[in-house]
Amino acid sequence: MVKRNQTSASVGRPREFELDQAVRKAMDVFWTRGYHDASLPDLLEGMELSRGSFYKAFVDKRGVYLRALDAYIEDAVRSVGETLHSNPSPKAAIREAFSQQVDQASGTEGLRGCFVVFAAVEMLPEDKEVAPRIFRLFRRLQDLYAAAIIRAQALGDIDPGLDERTLARFLVCQIQGMRVLAKAGADRAETRAMVELALKALG
């Protein structure tokens, strides 16, 4: 009985932690090749899955693409949220969040660009499943920055007369624009200069 259960598990649907690993490997494939140019053989090789395990876990290429996009979005929101709560000074935390973006927009990682921006350029506006995901990501990031701005305003570190939603939207737009320019070849000094200018909006 034990042997049958073990055999069944080995050829059945991958376990959850294996699925998460496979999704992140698929993300690398889509990030490199794009959704439309990533073939099933590309995905099977990159994810290290058999064809049968792939179909049992994800059904099709679109299924794993949406899972990969969701994983990237959750990682991004969690990382920014943690950073914005990492310092007793909300204004300093915002600066730290931007510093991390400079790191991500530098060197090889910068040239690779942002997976969500890549998805937006390739898939929008026609894709009705990808579009709301990207919209929600930017909304959630704006919410995080707006909350940090409100906390800073309460401490007197940011002008309370500034509208937190508009300022948060501006910051998120600056980050995404910075990632695009980095992919186009902007160096670290140029990226840092853009950040310093954007942060002046905080007062």
Side-chain angles (χ1 to χ4, degrees):
M1 178 66 73
V2 173
K3 289 184 178 180
R4 282 201 299 272
N5 287 341
Q6 289 175 338
T7 302
S8 176
S10 68
V11 299
R13 193 173 190 269
R15 289 171 291 182
E16 194 58 38
F17 82 93
E18 294 171 334
L19 282 176
D20 183 67
Q21 292 175 346
V23 165
R24 292 178 187 283
K25 290 175 181 177
M27 186 192 303
D28 284 336
V29 176
F30 288 124
W31 208 334
T32 300
R33 302 186 66 85
Y35 174 75
H36 293 104
D37 287 341
S39 67
L40 181 58
D42 293 330
L43 289 167
L44 295 180
E45 179 180 358
M47 298 167 74
E48 300 179 74
L49 289 179
S50 68
R51 187 179 294 262
S53 294
F54 177 89
Y55 283 120
K56 287 177 183 177
F58 304 108
V59 181
D60 56 19
K61 181 173 85 166
R62 184 164 185 80
V64 72
Y65 179 77
L66 294 177
R67 284 282 297 269
L69 186 57
D70 287 342
Y72 183 91
I73 288 171
E74 291 306 315
D75 286 349
V77 171
R78 180 174 58 256
S79 176
V80 172
E82 289 174 353
T83 301
L84 291 178
H85 287 89
S86 65
N87 194 307
S89 167
K91 187 175 181 180
I94 293 172
R95 176 173 287 278
E96 174 59 25
F98 266 71
S99 294
Q100 291 180 6
Q101 292 297 323
V102 171
D103 292 339
Q104 294 175 21
S106 301
T108 302
E109 188 173 0
L111 291 174
R112 194 181 195 196
C114 171
F115 185 50
V116 163
V117 172
F118 193 11
V121 171
E122 183 180 17
M123 308 297 282
L124 302 190
E126 291 84 3
D127 196 299
K128 304 307 180 185
E129 290 182 291
V130 173
R133 282 172 163 81
I134 294 177
F135 176 82
R136 284 195 297 270
L137 167 63
F138 292 147
R139 174 64 67 181
R140 291 170 70 184
L141 292 176
Q142 289 170 26
D143 289 346
L144 289 171
Y145 279 103
I149 290 165
I150 290 172
R151 294 195 298 273
Q153 289 173 325
L155 294 173
D157 292 337
I158 294 178
D159 182 358
L162 295 174
D163 180 74
E164 71 277 2
R165 296 297 314 181
T166 301
L167 188 52
R169 191 174 301 113
F170 167 77
L171 293 177
V172 172
C173 286
Q174 290 302 305
I175 289 169
Q176 297 307 319
M178 180 175 67
R179 297 297 300 272
V180 172
L181 289 175
K183 186 172 177 62
D187 62 28
R188 189 182 186 88
E190 293 171 327
T191 304
R192 172 59 68 181
M194 287 185 277
V195 165
E196 292 301 323
L197 183 61
L199 291 176
K200 286 183 179 179
L202 300 177

